[in-house]
Amino acid sequence: RAIYPDKVVDTLCPFCGVGCQTRVYVKDDEIVQVDGRNGPANENRLCVKGRFGFDYVRHPQRLTKPLIRRDDAPKDGAMMLNPANPWEVFREASWEEALDHAALGLSKTINSRGGSALAGFGSAKGSNEEAYLFQKLVRQGFGTNNVDHCTRLCHASSVAALMEGVGSGAVSAPFNAADEADCMIVIGARPAQNHPVAATYFKQAAKRGATLIVMDPRGQNLMRHAKYGLQFKPGTDVAMLNAMIHTIIEENLYDEQYIQANVEGFEALKEKVKDFSPEAMAAVCGIEADTLRSVAREYATSPRSIIFWGMGVSQHVHGTDNARCLIALALITGQVGRPGTGLHPLRGQNNVQGASDAGLIPMVFPDYKSVEDADIRAKYEDAWGRTLDPARGLTVVEIMDAIHEGKISAMYIMGENPAMSDPDQIHAREALAKLDHLVVQDIFLTETAWHADVVLPASAHAEKTGTFTNTNRQVQLGRPALDLPGEARQDWELIVEIARRIGLDWNYADVGEVYTEMASMMPSLDHISWERLLREECVTYPATSDDGPGTEILFARGFPTKSGKGKIVPADLLPPDEVPDDTYPLVLTTGRLLEHWHTGAMTRRSAMLSAIEPEAIAVMNPHEIRKQDLRAGEPVTVTTRRGSITALLREDREVADGMVFVPFCFVEAPANRLTNPQLDPFGKIPEFKFCAVRVDQL
Ligand code: SF4
C-alpha cells in the first residue's frame, strides 16, 4: 500500500558521528520512511540504523509529563525491575512544580555547600546549542567546572594526545579523504558496525587499489578488503606501533625534511624505540616481525597515507600513549596536512565533536580554551557577569567517586545514561542513589532516570532544531520533523527554565540566538553564521570566508601549537590495569553492535533493530568455547571482580581465543557491571577494552 506523506523534512541521522543527511517522510505525525540525502559525509548512503531505527521516537514509553519522585520511593533504582509501572516511584507533576522542585534542590546545594558540590552531565546526542547552554549553566549558574559528557568514555585520550601533539583535538582530514589515500590504517575501530557509511568509503578505496591495513584484536569483515589484517594481542598497541616506528627509523623511511621544518621530539623518539624492534615485539603483540616491517614500509612509503582509529585505541589506561604513537607515525613520515593523509579519530555519537567544541568538558571553555587561563576566564567573566571557577572540574568517573566521598551531592543530567555507560556500574548506580538531589532530563525513563528526584520530559532528535558537528568537523543543521509528544519540551528551553529559576537573567528568543552567542565565543565558528547554516545546511570548520568552503585538510602550514611544530611524545609499553589470572582467565572487551547504539535507550525501542538483535549476548571463539567446556546458544554467567551478568553465549570466529566480547547496550546483562573503572592518567578515560573475566555455564 502506497503511503503519501503529509510532509517531507530534510534533517540528520541521530546516531553516529558520520552525520548522514536524511530525508524524513512524515504521515499523521509519525515517521514512515527515511532516505539518505546527498550530504558531504554520506552522498545518499545510510546504514541500517539511519534507515530503520526511527520508530523509537513514537515509542509508548516516551516521557510525556514531568515526574517527581514519591517521598517514600527508594532511590537505589530497585523498582526499575518493574519498568512498566513507574508510578510506585514517581508521580506526575505540572511543569511549574517540576521545574521549581528541580531548581530548588540545585539552589539549596549551591547556597549551602557551594558550586563544587554540584555537577552536570550534558549529552553528545544533543545539539551544539544545548551543549553550550548546559555548560554555561553549570559554570555561570552552579559556579563550578564539574561538567562533562560521554567524550570522557570515548575519545578523551585521543583528544589529550592530539591537543598535546598537534594543538587541535579534531580530525585533520575528513574520512572521505580515503578517496585520495594510497594507504589507510584502520586501528581499534570497527567502522562496518559503528560508522557504517564511513566504512563504505574505506572499502571503495581498497577496491580501487589503496592499501588497507586493519589492526584489531578481534577480526572484522573490513579485513576481507584489507591487504593486511593484524589481529594483535589486546592491550599491546604500543608494542606494535613502536615496532613500526622502529622500522621506519631503522630503515630511514622517515621524512627528514618534514621533521626538520615541522616536528619536535624526534631525537627522544629515536632513543625510546631503540628497544622496540619488530623481532622483539612480535612475541608481545602477536604479529610476526616481517608483517610489522611490511606495514611500516607501506605506511611510510605510500605517497598519501591516513590513519583512522576508534575506541580500541582510546579506551585503555594507556589510551593516550596509544594515540601518541599514531601521531608520531604521522609526524615522522609527513603523512599529514595533504589530501589523502591525516589523523582521524572516528567520533562516536552524532554530536560528540560539537558537544566537546562547545565546552562540555571540565578543563576547558568552548573551543578548548583552558579554564585555568586567567585571560580566557576574564573574557567569559565579562560576558557572563560573574567570577568563574579557576580550577579544572572533575571528569565523569571522578564525579561518581566524588559522590561516594560526599563531595558532590546534587546533579543535573541531560540526555546521558551513566547508570548504563559508566564503568563499574554498581559503584556508579550507588553513587547516583546517594545524591541528595538529581535532576534528569531525557526522552525515556532511562536507567539513570530511575534514580532521579525530578524527571523532565525532553525532545528527541527528530523534534528539534539545532546544529550538530560530525566527525568531519562539518557543522550541520538538524530540523524538526515531528511535534513533541504530550507535554514534553525542548531541551534548550528546559535549560533556560532551570537557569532562570536559580537566578540567572537568561533570555533567548530561539535556537538561532543561542547559536549566535555561542559562535561569538568560538573563533572556530568564524564565518559560519546561523543565517549561513540555514542557507547552506553544512559548513566545515574552520571557514576562512563568509561564503567560501571550510577547511577540510588541517596542518598544511604547520600546527596550532605554541612552537608551530608538531610535538612527538614517545610512549612506553605499559600493561593493562588488570591481567588474567587463574580465577579470571580470560580478557573481557566491550563495545557496540551494528544494530544497537550505545546504551540501547533508542535502538532497543526500535522494532526492526531490536528484532535483529533482541537478546543479551556474550561472544567467544568456538575454539575457546570448547576449551572452557561451555555450550554456545545457552546462557552463561560472565564474572569479573566487580560483578556478574547472565547472557546467551554466541560463537564467533572474529573473537580471538582467550577473549570475551560483551556489547554494552543490554540492560538485562549490562557489560559495564563488569568493566574496570581505572583511568588513563591524561584523558581520564576508563579501561573498557581490557579486564580479567571468567565465564561459567549457567
Ligand atoms: Fe546514521 Fe551513522 Fe548509519 Fe549514517 S552511518 S545512517 S549517521 S548511524
Side-chain angles (χ1 to χ4, degrees):
R1 186 167 67 89
I3 296 174
Y4 299 99
D6 303 327
K7 63 176 172 178
V8 177
V9 179
D10 286 349
T11 185
L12 307 169
C13 174
F15 293 108
C16 87
V18 170
C20 295
Q21 292 190 357
T22 58
R23 178 153 295 159
V24 174
Y25 298 81
V26 178
K27 175 82 177 165
D28 298 331
D29 205 32
E30 288 201 16
I31 298 173
V32 291
Q33 186 175 327
V34 179
D35 286 342
R37 279 192 291 146
N38 193 19
N42 64 312
E43 296 180 294
N44 298 308
R45 304 166 206 190
L46 289 182
C47 79
V48 66
K49 286 190 286 289
R51 190 171 290 284
F52 299 117
F54 52 77
D55 51 337
Y56 75 90
V57 183
R58 285 293 180 254
H59 193 279
Q61 288 175 349
R62 270 299 294 274
L63 292 169
T64 56
K65 281 180 179 291
L67 303 175
I68 290 180
R69 174 173 295 278
R70 294 182 186 279
D71 290 340
D72 55 350
K75 289 192 81 171
D76 62 5
M79 310 290 272
M80 198 178 80
L81 295 174
N82 185 14
N85 186 11
W87 310 122
E88 294 168 34
V89 178
F90 298 103
R91 63 177 174 82
E92 290 180 354
S94 69
W95 270 113
E96 281 309 296
E97 185 189 8
L99 287 166
D100 285 349
H101 188 49
L104 185 65
L106 299 170
S107 293
K108 270 187 185 170
T109 310
I110 297 168
N111 296 332
S112 62
R113 304 193 60 204
S116 63
L118 292 95
F121 289 168
S123 175
K125 298 219 74 61
S127 67
N128 290 327
E129 296 73 27
E130 291 160 0
Y132 173 78
L133 286 182
F134 193 86
Q135 62 86 36
K136 180 178 173 183
L137 171 73
V138 173
R139 293 190 156 110
Q140 185 193 23
F142 297 180
T144 176
N145 289 311
N146 292 338
V147 60
D148 208 353
H149 75 297
C150 74
T151 191
R152 195 64 44 209
L153 310 174
C154 166
H155 264 306
S157 46
S158 306
V159 171
L162 287 165
M163 292 296 291
E164 166 193 84
V166 295
S168 163
V171 300
S172 78
F175 63 76
N176 318 66
D179 282 346
E180 296 171 279
D182 302 294
C183 175
M184 298 168 288
I185 289 180
V186 177
I187 175 169
R190 302 175 69 80
Q193 278 80 40
N194 303 323
H195 302 85
V197 165
T200 65
Y201 288 86
F202 306 156
K203 287 178 200 168
Q204 278 180 319
K207 286 178 194 166
R208 71 158 164 76
T211 299
L212 175 61
I213 301 164
V214 179
M215 300 167 156
D216 188 348
R218 282 198 282 153
Q220 54 170 286
N221 59 14
L222 199 58
M223 284 182 180
R224 284 174 44 221
H225 304 271
K227 182 170 176 184
Y228 299 95
L230 275 57
Q231 232 177 307
F232 62 100
K233 290 183 188 173
T236 63
D237 312 57
V238 168
M240 180 175 65
L241 298 171
N242 271 356
M244 288 176 65
I245 295 169
H246 176 104
T247 304
I248 291 166
I249 293 173
E250 187 185 67
E251 300 184 9
N252 290 318
L253 304 176
Y254 52 92
D255 186 335
E256 190 147 16
Q257 211 176 344
Y258 183 84
I259 293 170
Q260 287 287 339
N262 298 293
V263 179
E264 55 193 17
F266 183 55
E267 291 306 315
L269 180 74
K270 259 174 146 174
E271 194 56 35
K272 174 66 72 185
V273 300
K274 268 185 184 160
D275 297 334
F276 285 82
S277 72
E279 291 68 27
M281 291 302 110
V284 179
C285 66
I287 304 297
E288 288 183 4
D290 284 351
T291 308
L292 291 170
R293 286 190 181 275
S294 296
V295 296
R297 290 174 194 137
E298 290 268 9
Y299 175 79
T301 60
S302 294
R304 294 164 300 186
S305 295
I306 187 164
I307 302 175
F308 302 100
W309 74 94
M311 268 144 265
V313 166
S314 61
Q315 289 177 334
H316 289 277
V317 289
H318 44 75
T320 304
D321 280 337
N322 294 346
R324 283 170 172 158
C325 291
L326 299 175
I327 293 164
L329 272 171
L331 289 180
I332 63 171
T333 52
Q335 296 284 18
V336 68
R338 294 176 287 116
T341 69
L343 293 160
H344 189 123
L346 287 155
R347 308 310 299 258
Q349 300 251 23
N350 61 336
N351 198 37
V352 69
Q353 182 65 59
S356 303
D357 297 342
L360 269 185
I361 296 185
M363 308 86 177
V364 291
F365 291 114
D367 260 355
Y368 307 93
K369 302 293 184 214
S370 172
V371 297
E372 295 167 305
D373 183 316
D375 292 340
I376 301 288
R377 221 169 38 250
K379 171 180 148 183
Y380 279 91
E381 287 173 347
D382 273 358
W384 294 350
R386 72 159 287 175
T387 305
L388 295 171
D389 182 1
R392 294 165 162 238
L394 298 174
T395 58
V396 165
V397 178
E398 291 172 333
I399 285 169
M400 292 300 164
D401 292 339
I403 297 169
H404 278 289
E405 291 161 10
K407 293 176 183 163
I408 288 179
S409 56
M411 279 193 78
Y412 181 9
I413 299 178
M414 176 187 75
E416 290 265 292
N417 192 7
M420 281 290 286
S421 59
D422 269 31
D424 194 2
Q425 186 194 67
I426 293 172
H427 177 82
R429 288 194 182 189
E430 284 172 354
L432 293 171
K434 266 190 174 178
L435 288 166
D436 292 340
H437 190 66
L438 172 60
V439 180
V440 172
Q441 181 173 312
D442 216 311
I443 62 172
F444 293 114
L445 200 57
T446 61
E447 293 71 24
T448 299
W450 280 89
H451 299 276
D453 294 276
V454 188
V455 182
L456 307 177
S459 46
H461 186 275
E463 296 151 0
K464 63 178 74 174
T465 302
T467 61
F468 298 80
T469 307
N470 69 2
T471 189
N472 286 349
R473 289 182 275 107
Q474 286 153 345
V475 185
Q476 305 197 92
L477 187 68
R479 295 189 182 86
L482 302 177
D483 294 335
L484 286 159
E487 296 177 22
R489 293 183 63 178
Q490 294 293 339
D491 287 86
W492 77 270
E493 290 177 2
L494 294 176
I495 304 166
V496 172
E497 292 280 9
I498 296 285
R500 286 183 183 151
R501 281 171 169 77
I502 66 169
L504 300 176
D505 181 23
W506 281 19
N507 287 294
Y508 299 98
D510 54 29
V511 176
E513 225 174 88
V514 181
Y515 177 88
T516 301
E517 177 183 310
M518 175 179 72
S520 75
M521 308 296 283
M522 295 175 64
S524 65
L525 297 179
D526 283 355
H527 306 291
I528 308 179
S529 67
W530 180 250
E531 292 69 30
R532 182 174 183 185
L533 285 166
L534 289 176
R535 206 170 51 242
E536 297 183 26
E537 299 196 32
C538 172
V539 184
T540 300
Y541 79 78
T544 50
S545 69
D546 288 349
D547 50 7
T551 313
E552 288 200 345
I553 309 294
L554 299 181
F555 316 140
R557 284 176 291 280
F559 298 91
T561 54
K562 269 189 187 144
S563 64
K565 292 187 172 187
K567 180 178 169 190
I568 293 173
V569 180
D572 253 325
L573 180 58
L574 300 171
D577 179 68
E578 184 183 274
V579 292
D581 55 19
D582 290 345
T583 314
Y584 301 100
L586 303 168
V587 173
L588 173 72
T589 187
T590 65
R592 291 163 290 192
L593 297 173
L594 167 64
E595 295 80 4
H596 286 307
W597 191 245
H598 285 221
T599 64
M602 292 151 66
T603 51
R604 292 205 75 202
R605 290 179 174 93
S606 171
M608 194 171 298
L609 299 177
S610 196
I612 302 172
E613 280 290 359
E615 285 173 310
I617 50 170
V619 189
M620 293 172 67
N621 188 290
H623 177 255
E624 188 67 50
I625 289 175
R626 280 197 300 279
K627 196 167 130 194
Q628 298 287 328
D629 203 17
L630 302 167
R631 293 183 300 280
E634 296 186 23
V636 289
T637 57
V638 184
T639 308
T640 68
R641 288 183 173 83
R642 290 153 293 280
S644 189
I645 62 168
T646 299
L648 216 56
L649 183 61
R650 177 181 290 177
E651 60 177 25
D652 188 338
R653 281 172 185 75
E654 286 186 346
V655 182
D657 275 355
M659 286 184 82
V660 186
F661 166 68
V662 179
F664 70 99
C665 57
F666 294 105
V667 63
E668 63 274 35
N672 282 323
R673 191 176 296 165
L674 310 171
T675 47
N676 187 353
Q678 280 303 311
L679 301 180
D680 171 280
F682 308 99
K684 307 280 184 180
I685 194 169
E687 188 147 64
F688 286 126
K689 288 289 188 271
F690 199 113
C691 71
V693 67
R694 187 178 76 233
V695 181
D696 300 294
Q697 197 77 55
L698 200 63

